Amino acid sequence: MKYTRLGRSGATVSRIALGTMNFGPVIGREPSYEILDLALENGITFIDTADVYGGGPWGDHPGQSEALLGDWMRDRGVRDQLVVATKVHGPMGEGPNDQGLSAVHIRAGVDASLRRLGTDRIDLMQMHHIDRSVPVDEVLDAFTTLREQGKIVYLGSSNFAGWNLAQYQEQATAHRQIGLVTEQSVYNLAQRTVELEVVPAALNYGIGLLPWSPLASGQLGGVLQKADRSRSKDLDLGERRPRIEEYERYAGTLGLDPAELALAWLLHQPVVTAPVVGPRTAAQLTGAIAALEIALGDAELAELDRIWPGPGGQAPEAYAW
């Protein structure tokens, strides 16, 4: 395993973060434990979850994935070996204060996550989405108080715009409140919009990027190869299909699995702390770990840029001058 700093913080984390979105509602307790055990055996120390996982689009029981992770940590006695990240924002009930980033919901949400995880602190507490209806000073006051109480250690954001990162960091600096150390955003070869403003803002403020959906919902994971093996001809990839075909051919010329190549590309981006991988099987996790050993040179990176062009650099040069 390889390790790095958690954004601008002093904490050390594995360069692969294990996402637990599928744990509980999609895959059961036994296979979830198998993946968690394998991750720890291979040096993965960074575990990402969220309070809503298990509810909404993931199932009928929000909090299920946090509870499963908490049970595993207690069963294995490994809490202190891990950097545990979770999130608050999504709906956790029917009440008017059961979602969002009000101080009321933040404080109640953190306490509930602590209970489900069976721990006394959350190492990285992340805002799952920007909440434009709540003043920034209220949000940061709530998290600053929680840090002073020892309930959270670091603060991160997720699904923030570049100007939101600047907004929160400037507010935190001016008022001596807790600032951001990470931003978790969709980022992969096929979805590179964050390079316009999120990536430059993150680099400027020392915020580590945690890419979610690193395989573009499986489209970068050898989807056409898998369809050929299963003799499925009904795969609808829309306008991305020609690029995916070319990408899979190129991965073949390098002798690499497409999923491993996609993760390796992310690991070569200076802003990236750790891609968040959400395996459903132990084999998928093993493939993700293998990406750490792939070294891409300038020629390979340039070819990937040709196949999957980004927005043209950062704003405004990407669209102006």
Side-chain angles (χ1 to χ4, degrees), residues 190-261:
Q191 295 166 283
R192 298 175 59 174
T193 308
V194 292
E195 292 175 0
L196 285 169
E197 302 205 25
V198 172
V199 167
L203 287 169
N204 180 72
Y205 287 105
I207 297 171
L209 194 63
L210 308 175
W212 60 263
S213 193
L215 300 184
S217 299
Q219 292 188 3
L220 297 173
V223 65
L224 293 175
Q225 296 174 5
K226 294 172 185 175
D228 287 344
R229 287 196 293 269
S230 65
R231 298 184 180 179
S232 172
K233 303 301 180 184
D234 300 324
L235 193 61
D236 182 12
L237 298 173
E239 62 182 18
R240 281 188 184 168
R241 189 180 187 100
R243 293 191 189 279
I244 293 172
E245 290 174 347
E246 188 172 10
Y247 172 69
E248 291 192 11
R249 284 196 299 270
Y250 183 59
T253 65
L254 296 177
L256 296 174
D257 177 84
E260 295 171 16
L261 179 57

Side-chain angles (χ1 to χ4, degrees), residues 249-309:
R249 284 196 299 270
Y250 183 59
T253 65
L254 296 177
L256 296 174
D257 177 84
E260 295 171 16
L261 179 57
L263 288 170
W265 179 82
L266 281 172
L267 290 164
H268 279 71
Q269 306 310 306
V271 72
V272 170
T273 292
V276 180
V277 302
R280 299 190 183 193
T281 66
Q284 289 175 349
L285 178 59
T286 300
I289 294 169
L292 291 163
E293 302 304 321
I294 297 174
L296 300 175
D298 291 343
E300 289 82 11
L301 292 170
E303 180 63 9
L304 290 170
D305 279 340
R306 186 192 67 77
I307 298 171
W308 295 108

Side-chain angles (χ1 to χ4, degrees), residues 56-141:
W58 302 282
D60 299 326
H61 303 288
Q64 186 177 1
S65 296
E66 279 187 332
L68 189 153
L69 175 59
D71 290 345
W72 175 80
M73 290 192 296
R74 183 174 56 255
D75 290 348
R76 303 299 194 255
V78 297
R79 172 63 185 93
D80 290 340
Q81 299 178 39
L82 304 171
V83 173
V84 176
T86 191
K87 309 179 190 77
V88 63
H89 177 284
M92 294 297 290
E94 300 297 326
N97 288 311
D98 288 340
Q99 62 183 314
L101 293 179
S102 70
V104 170
H105 182 59
I106 288 171
R107 295 183 72 166
V110 168
D111 283 343
S113 288
L114 287 169
R115 288 192 297 270
R116 286 188 292 267
L117 289 165
T119 185
D120 62 348
R121 85 281 183 190
I122 294 164
D123 300 312
L124 177 63
M125 192 68 216
Q126 301 164 101
M127 297 169 280
H128 209 161
H129 200 280
I130 187 72
D131 187 342
R132 300 179 183 89
S133 68
V134 182
V136 177
D137 62 340
E138 176 181 340
V139 176
L140 291 182
D141 272 344

Side-chain angles (χ1 to χ4, degrees), residues 139-153:
V139 176
L140 291 182
D141 272 344
F143 285 118
T144 300
T145 297
L146 290 164
R147 180 184 61 182
E148 291 169 351
Q149 293 171 342
K151 294 181 178 181
I152 69 172
V153 182

